[in-house]
Structure formats: C-alpha cells, structure tokens
Amino acid sequence: MRLYSTDDGLAREDRAGVLSLLDLPYAEVGALLRGPGLDAARTATVLREQALDQAVLRPPVARPGKVLIIGLNYGSHATEALDMFAALGKNDIAVPTEPNMQVTAGSAVVGPGDPIVLPEVAAEQVDYEGEVAVVIGTPARGVSVGAAWRHVAGLTIVNDASARDIQLRAMTGDPTASIGVAKSFDTFKPLGPCLVTADEFTETPDLALRTRVNGELRQEDRTSGFIHSIPELIAHVSRYQTLEPGDVICTGTPRGAGVFSGRYLRAGDLVEVEVEGIGVLANPVVRA
C-alpha cells in the first residue's frame, strides 16, 4: 500500500497516478500510526479520487518524535569517508562495527517540493545525502534482529541535508560544534513523497538509490550495500531508547555526497532523490 499525506488529508494510491482520498480524521501518516494504525487506511471509505500530479503533497510524517541518523552505513561511503579523514590526520576512525547513531530534530522535516533553506549562520557548505528512511509503526524497545521488521510501518525517502562546516568541526574535536545541530536546521530533512508499507518489501530490500543535483547524477548505489541491515539498525537503536510510532530512521547514504568534491548546494539548485519502488523526492534550494 502506498500512502500519501496531502493538503486534503490522507490518500491511498489505488491506481497508478490516482489518489483515493480517505474518510479518516488524520492529516498525515504519522498521526494515523499513533492512532489506529495502518489497517484503518486499508479499509477506509474513499471520499473521492484525485490525480497524483494535482495533489499538494506533505511529508508522510510531519513531526516525528525522533529522527535517527545512521552514519557510514554503505561500504562505498565508509571507504571515501575514511580516506578523507586520513587526509585530515584522523587515522583513529574506522568502519563502525555497530551502527553509528545520531539523534536529530523532528522539526527539520519538510515535504516534497518544499525548499531546503540555506541557513544564514552556515550557508556555504550545505550538503545533500539521499537515503532510504524507515518509519516505525509500533513501539519497539530492546527488540531482537529477528523481530525488528514487524515494527516497521513502511519505507520512504529522506534527504539528510547537513551543514558540513559544523559537522566536520564536531568530528575533529571542536567542543563548540555538534553533529546533531549540523543536521537539525529547519528544512534539513525533506521526507516523502509517500510511505510504502512494509509488506511491499523484504526485510533486507535491495533497492536502487540515485541522487541528482540539477539533473546531474551524484550518488548511485543499492541498499544491498548496507553494512548494517534495517532489522539490525532497529534492534540496535531500540537498545538505547524506545522507538515509537512515527519515528524515522535514516539508513545512511552511499558515496558521492558533496563534501568529498566540494560541490555544495547553492540557491537555485534542485535535489532529487530516487529510490526504486518508492518514487522521487524533489526539493529546491533557496537562501534564507
């Protein structure tokens, strides 16, 4: 099932390119998950149909309680990151043996088509990171890897934007900088365009991911390149904090982010993240 949050309410895509607006008192998927759950959307009465390209889309989960970032979770990205840190004299950083987790602000989430705003205090090194995002459907605390997938509502797409100047200061020991802050600016977590429910995927999906900036391919990989699988990520995070309905886990980005080439985002750019089986998340970049 494909669920969309729209200006007119929750919608199911019952036919390709056509949304069925549902008779449900919830503005977005996150509220549905915190209420009766996905089954209510499967059985809801259809109010009317609307062409997908005519709908105003919102993020599937407008205000996640937590957005969890997993770093260095593609082998391709880990290799290029370790090479960069070695060049900076940081030879004590290695491929993580367990997930590298950061907690960021749910208020950073915006939806498809919404602008990524270059913040005045850190406008020069804003970067893109195309990723698959996991949306939690039921509470998970201390779950096993084998049981983790049953807590997944579905998958969507996220662009994990970052102020790299702040992030790199934090990673090289500056006590006045924070990775969480670097990734939590307003508009830095575009999410969408829809939620595709977990039953549409295997527990270890092999999905193609591509990120384009102004039509130029910058990132390309498959989720089979994960170092830690989605069930492993959920089990790990749930050891430290309860995952709640509507929480989002960003599963990591492949090689090709702008920090490695110095090609950061500028006002007027368009970033598109495409994930096989989910769709395309597109966001323009603007000045503050």
Side-chain angles (χ1 to χ4, degrees):
M1 180 171 60
R2 302 172 71 89
L3 286 176
Y4 291 80
S5 298
T6 79
D7 260 4
D8 295 314
L10 275 177
R12 256 185 351 238
E13 189 175 8
D14 289 332
R15 291 185 288 132
V18 179
L19 297 184
S20 297
L21 293 166
L22 304 178
D23 186 15
L24 289 171
Y26 304 101
E28 42 93 32
V29 177
L32 177 72
L33 295 174
R34 291 185 285 268
L38 292 174
D39 285 346
R42 298 182 194 280
T43 59
T45 300
V46 175
L47 294 174
R48 62 183 174 87
E49 292 187 336
Q50 181 180 33
L52 175 58
D53 60 7
Q54 298 299 310
V56 178
L57 301 182
R58 298 302 182 199
V61 182
R63 280 295 179 267
K66 297 184 287 296
V67 179
L68 297 132
I69 307 299
I70 306 298
L72 302 181
N73 198 36
Y74 281 83
S76 62
H77 177 51
T79 298
E80 66 176 353
L82 296 182
D83 288 345
M84 182 187 73
F85 282 113
L88 294 171
K90 295 290 290 183
N91 295 305
D92 56 343
I93 298 176
V95 176
T97 57
E98 61 180 39
N100 179 335
M101 179 180 71
Q102 302 288 334
V103 182
T104 59
S107 58
V109 169
V110 291
D114 290 335
I116 299 169
V117 179
L118 304 175
E120 291 183 1
V121 296
E124 298 304 314
Q125 295 182 24
V126 175
D127 204 354
Y128 55 86
E129 289 187 320
E131 306 190 15
V132 173
V134 179
V135 179
I136 298 299
T138 56
R141 171 66 180 169
V143 301
S144 68
V145 173
W149 185 256
R150 67 188 70 161
H151 295 276
V152 175
L155 304 182
T156 186
I157 304 171
V158 66
N159 182 355
D160 176 24
S162 311
R164 293 295 195 188
D165 45 358
I166 296 175
Q167 181 181 1
L168 291 175
R169 281 169 44 208
M171 295 179 75
T172 52
D174 184 343
T176 67
S178 162
I179 296 174
V181 169
K183 292 176 171 287
S184 290
F185 283 97
D186 292 349
T187 76
F188 268 27
K189 292 295 167 285
L191 196 70
C194 62
L195 178 97
V196 183
T197 54
D199 57 340
E200 300 287 332
F201 305 98
T202 68
E203 294 188 14
T204 54
D206 180 23
L207 307 176
L209 182 151
R210 300 177 183 89
T211 304
R212 295 180 174 87
V213 179
N214 303 325
E216 178 189 355
L217 184 65
R218 298 281 185 90
Q219 294 182 291
E220 185 173 24
D221 211 326
R222 302 191 68 88
T223 56
S224 53
F226 283 166
I227 295 172
H228 303 287
S229 70
I230 290 172
E232 289 170 339
L233 297 179
I234 293 169
H236 176 79
V237 173
S238 75
R239 291 166 53 195
Y240 295 92
Q241 52 195 267
T242 300
L243 288 165
E244 298 174 330
D247 284 352
V248 174
I249 300 176
C250 306
T251 58
T253 201
R255 70 178 295 117
V259 66
F260 302 102
S261 64
R263 302 173 73 188
Y264 295 108
L265 297 177
R266 296 290 179 257
D269 287 347
L270 177 68
V271 187
E272 298 171 287
V273 184
E274 178 182 6
V275 176
E276 181 182 3
I278 301 176
V280 179
L281 172 67
N283 298 88
V285 181
V286 302
R287 295 185 180 87

